[in-house]
Amino acid sequence: MRKYTLALFCLLYSVVIYAGNYIRVNQVGYLCNDIKVAVIGMDAPVSISNFILRNLDNNRTTTLKNIKNIGEFAPFAASARLDFSSVTTPGRYRIEALDAVSPEFKIGDDVYSGLNELLLYYMRQQRCGYNPFLGDSCHTHDGVIVLHPTRSGEHVDVVGGWHDASDYLQYTTTSANATYQMLFAYQEYPHVWGDNFDASGNPGANGIPDILDEARWGLEWLVKMNPDSVTFFNQIADDRDHRMSVLPHDDMVDYEFGPGGPRPVYPCSGVPYGIYSNKNESTGLASSVGKFASAFALGSRLFADIDSAFANLLKEKACNAYLVAADNPGACQTAPCVSPYYYEEDNWSDDMQLAAIEMYKSHRDNRYFNDAVDYGRLEPITPWMGADSARHYQWYPFVNLGNFLVAETAREGRHRNEFIRNMRSGLQRVAERAQGNPFLNGIPFVWCSNNLTVAFITQAMLYRQVTGDNSFLEIETAMRDWIFGANPWGKCMIIGVEGTDFPVDPHSPLSNLKQYQLTGGLVDGPVYETIFKSLRGVHLRNVDKYARFQGGVAVYHDDYSDYSTNEPTMDGTASLSFILALLASQK
């Protein structure tokens, strides 16, 4: 009996010692010449001296020793970076170390081919008005103007655009940024975008790349939100939307205009406002109206050869929006209602910098270029970069594309050098904050941390593009890999990416009520545990299958009831379009 007891003890001991080793990789895969690093986390405080890379196509193994032991990193007692960059042969692989085995992944220059198109599926699923995914229309009575000094109670046609996330609110702030991001991605890499859907989002080519169809959907809504030279709307609906969880075409929320009737349309305001006791802290119009201007300006150029009348309208509206924004500096925040939550954007010079450089590109008037330089000097570095925390959407957009565009466009070396330095300084701050982190993650885990991660990757890629400097290539690649599964939870953060462990229980009525498969949406991502515990209504409805990896740094839950980490967002998804276009172009 004793020998069987001893044997059982030895077996249990081995499980305790070796069951806690976990290898995290980019589950989509690596380009042939990528920096390729996996991360292993261990329960025991040990170091590792070698690991095995197994080629699953021929079962051959390679023992590698390029390892950087990091030590303790919550939630692991020890961790290490396993570098296999020397392997460049295309194929299917996995990594084996101690008793742990990684998920299968690929090496090849085509691993990201077509992934950029996945994002557009989610954007189409988010459409308001006619929704091609549902084959139905919603919110067709929008809307009624509120809190306007002279036009409150007036009906205005603002049907269209996208639902912001899994609720049905709509914001100029995020929608204009999403529109610009898609236009920018197309401008930089036009050849990677296909034509498989028409302008309404239904299957069938129409001779226009699908990303331009989607961007036009946003532009046409922005035109409605700017119906004349003095009127700019900022928001449709408010958090009364949260009273009901239904599919969009079944939405019967009563905004005091009757169940299922029109929704409130809030104007851009330069002073604090809100229907009830909760108020925002707006200080001007430039953050929102500047976003109108940059989207209209870039759109006017990209649609010039497709629809000249539409392009001319956008060009005219860009000029007017720029003047209004310049005359009204300050941040235009979204409107709270029942709860105190709103987008707390308090910077605006970045929006004006981007608008100014886009106006310069449209008109080649040096005054706009000089404006871009002046606005850029008001905020050289996006403030979240290097920070430990931030309020919700406090510094938005999370990436300042204006710095890149000024540096790329600069006619004088000193301007180019100045704005390249701005880009580099932001990247350096994040890199310094990442020291001691085996995943090289220096992003603050605030609400929508994945959006900040995407912003960092974008800035790093553009910095390389404009300088040829690879100083931040390792952390850039590590942050890309984080999005695709090289994180403590081993979770791909984009819904529906084939072959990965992606979110299956996202915070969305489409999947929760009807089990519809969402496709392409980027979820919010991990947050500090203090944030998770402080938000109203956040909880878990299922057993946390990632409980082992929570705590210490941040938490993430693949659970419908956690809207703080597992809700896909429209603007975060759109902001991936440049990154995935660049990666798709490598094939």
Side-chain angles (χ1 to χ4, degrees):
M1 179 66 179
R2 182 178 179 184
K3 67 179 183 180
Y4 294 113
T5 302
L6 180 60
L8 179 60
F9 173 81
C10 291
L11 175 61
L12 292 175
Y13 181 80
S14 68
V15 170
V16 171
I17 292 297
Y18 295 111
N21 301 319
Y22 310 90
I23 300 175
R24 304 310 194 202
V25 297
N26 179 330
Q27 295 166 23
V28 170
Y30 304 83
L31 301 171
C32 291
N33 293 318
D34 264 344
I35 294 175
K36 307 178 191 70
V37 179
V39 175
I40 184 168
M42 299 164 280
D43 277 347
V46 299
S47 60
I48 181 172
S49 59
N50 62 71
F51 65 99
I52 291 172
L53 182 68
R54 185 179 298 275
N55 186 324
L56 298 177
D57 293 326
N58 55 28
N59 206 36
R60 294 177 181 172
T61 61
T62 303
T63 299
L64 298 166
K65 298 183 179 182
N66 192 358
I67 296 170
K68 184 176 182 179
N69 284 286
I70 304 296
E72 181 180 1
F73 175 79
F76 306 116
S79 59
R81 290 177 59 77
L82 314 179
D83 192 323
F84 56 103
S85 303
S86 59
V87 178
T88 59
T89 303
R92 297 179 304 116
Y93 293 87
R94 74 182 185 207
I95 291 174
E96 302 166 7
L98 301 179
D99 67 316
V101 177
S102 77
E104 178 182 324
F105 59 88
K106 295 178 181 178
I107 294 176
D109 286 339
D110 61 348
V111 294
Y112 293 98
S113 179
L115 194 57
N116 53 305
E117 302 284 358
L118 204 68
L119 308 175
L120 300 180
Y121 282 83
Y122 181 71
M123 299 302 292
R124 289 187 286 267
Q125 289 173 332
Q126 289 297 105
R127 285 193 182 191
C128 191
Y130 175 69
N131 186 299
F133 178 75
L134 296 171
D136 206 338
S137 297
C138 65
H139 303 119
T140 57
H141 305 296
D142 286 345
V144 173
I145 301 173
V146 298
L147 298 182
H148 191 281
T150 61
R151 299 178 61 183
S152 290
E154 179 182 329
H155 182 270
V156 60
D157 176 13
V158 289
V159 177
W162 303 284
H163 303 132
D164 195 55
S166 293
D167 53 19
Y168 302 134
L169 283 72
Q170 297 177 256
Y171 303 106
T172 289
T173 303
T174 51
S175 296
N177 179 47
T179 300
Y180 183 89
Q181 292 274 358
M182 289 187 288
L183 292 170
F184 180 75
Y186 176 79
Q187 174 186 259
E188 297 298 302
Y189 294 99
H191 62 282
V192 302
W193 300 98
D195 175 21
N196 299 297
F197 294 84
D198 63 20
S200 297
N202 293 314
N206 65 342
I208 298 173
D210 295 332
I211 193 169
L212 287 185
D213 284 328
E214 205 58 34
R216 180 162 184 162
W217 185 263
L219 287 167
E220 290 177 344
W221 181 76
L222 290 173
V223 167
K224 289 185 174 184
M225 295 290 278
N226 172 214
D228 57 60
S229 63
V230 297
T231 306
F232 296 85
F233 296 117
N234 206 43
Q235 176 176 327
I236 302 175
D238 52 49
D239 60 21
R240 286 173 286 182
D241 167 280
H242 301 165
R243 295 170 177 170
M244 190 177 293
S245 179
V246 295
L247 297 186
H249 52 279
D250 297 326
D251 188 358
M252 296 298 290
V253 172
D254 187 349
Y255 289 94
E256 302 175 8
F257 307 118
R263 301 184 297 171
V265 182
Y266 291 82
C268 292
S269 173
V271 297
Y273 72 168
I275 285 183
Y276 300 140
S277 60
N278 295 303
K279 311 294 182 185
N280 63 24
E281 297 181 350
S282 292
T283 59
L285 303 181
S287 64
S288 288
V289 181
K291 291 182 179 71
F292 276 105
S294 56
F296 286 154
L298 180 54
S300 71
R301 299 199 306 276
L302 294 182
F303 281 95
D305 294 332
I306 298 172
D307 184 338
S308 60
F310 182 58
N312 288 336
L313 173 65
L314 295 178
K315 189 172 185 178
E316 178 183 349
K317 283 188 168 293
C319 292
N320 181 70
Y322 184 82
L323 291 175
V324 172
D327 285 343
N328 294 274
C332 179
Q333 298 179 341
T334 64
C337 187
V338 178
S339 67
Y341 299 145
Y342 57 96
Y343 288 166
E344 300 179 65
E345 183 177 12
D346 65 11
N347 60 340
W348 56 272
S349 59
D350 56 336
D351 297 299
M352 292 305 299
Q353 178 187 0
L354 183 60
I357 194 63
E358 286 296 348
M359 292 296 290
Y360 172 76
K361 286 178 171 289
S362 292
H363 297 273
R364 295 297 168 179
D365 185 331
N366 289 341
R367 290 176 297 177
Y368 291 122
F369 183 86
N370 294 334
D371 283 355
V373 171
D374 290 341
Y375 284 123
R377 287 172 175 165
L378 295 178
E379 187 183 275
I381 301 171
T382 302
W384 72 259
M385 304 187 87
D388 292 328
S389 190
R391 299 193 305 276
H392 191 43
Y393 277 57
Q394 180 179 3
W395 297 303
Y396 188 80
F398 301 118
V399 61
N400 182 1
L401 296 175
N403 279 339
F404 164 74
L405 291 170
V406 172
E408 181 189 54
T409 308
R411 297 141 297 167
E412 298 181 25
R414 63 186 182 92
H415 287 143
R416 174 182 172 85
N417 293 338
E418 176 182 354
F419 287 89
I420 285 174
R421 183 170 62 250
N422 293 348
M423 298 178 72
R424 183 172 59 248
S425 296
L427 298 173
Q428 185 61 45
R429 290 185 181 187
V430 176
E432 289 171 357
R433 195 171 179 276
Q435 291 179 9
N437 185 313
F439 297 97
L440 300 189
N441 193 320
I443 305 297
F445 291 114
V446 296
W447 196 357
C448 293
S449 66
N450 277 346
N451 294 14
L452 273 65
T453 302
V454 168
F456 175 84
I457 301 166
T458 301
Q459 183 157 318
M461 286 179 163
L462 290 171
Y463 173 79
R464 278 196 299 117
Q465 183 172 310
V466 76
T467 66
D469 178 6
N470 290 330
S471 299
F472 300 100
L473 182 56
E474 184 178 11
I475 187 173
E476 170 200 317
T477 306
M479 290 298 87
R480 179 205 68 186
D481 296 346
W482 174 281
I483 292 292
F484 292 114
N487 53 61
W489 308 271
K491 198 72 175 179
C492 175
M493 296 293 176
I494 304 173
I495 302 171
V497 179
E498 185 177 351
T500 71
D501 178 8
F502 59 80
V504 296
D505 192 18
H507 184 79
S508 168
L510 293 177
S511 58
N512 182 54
L513 298 176
K514 292 294 185 179
Q515 289 72 56
Y516 291 141
Q517 175 62 60
L518 298 186
T519 303
L522 176 73
V523 297
D524 288 335
V527 297
Y528 294 121
E529 191 169 15
T530 53
I531 292 178
F532 170 72
K533 290 180 176 180
S534 69
L535 292 172
R536 296 182 181 184
V538 170
H539 62 284
L540 300 183
R541 69 176 180 182
N542 300 309
V543 174
D544 181 10
K545 61 182 179 180
Y546 295 102
R548 166 63 189 81
F549 311 110
Q550 311 293 14
V553 177
V555 298
Y556 165 80
H557 308 100
D558 188 1
D559 190 297
Y560 168 79
S561 294
D562 182 4
Y563 66 80
S564 68
T565 73
N566 211 39
E567 181 175 11
T569 63
M570 171 273 300
D571 65 311
T573 299
S575 69
L576 271 169
S577 54
F578 168 78
I579 294 171
L580 294 185
L582 185 154
L583 293 171
S585 73
Q586 304 301 305
K587 64 179 182 178

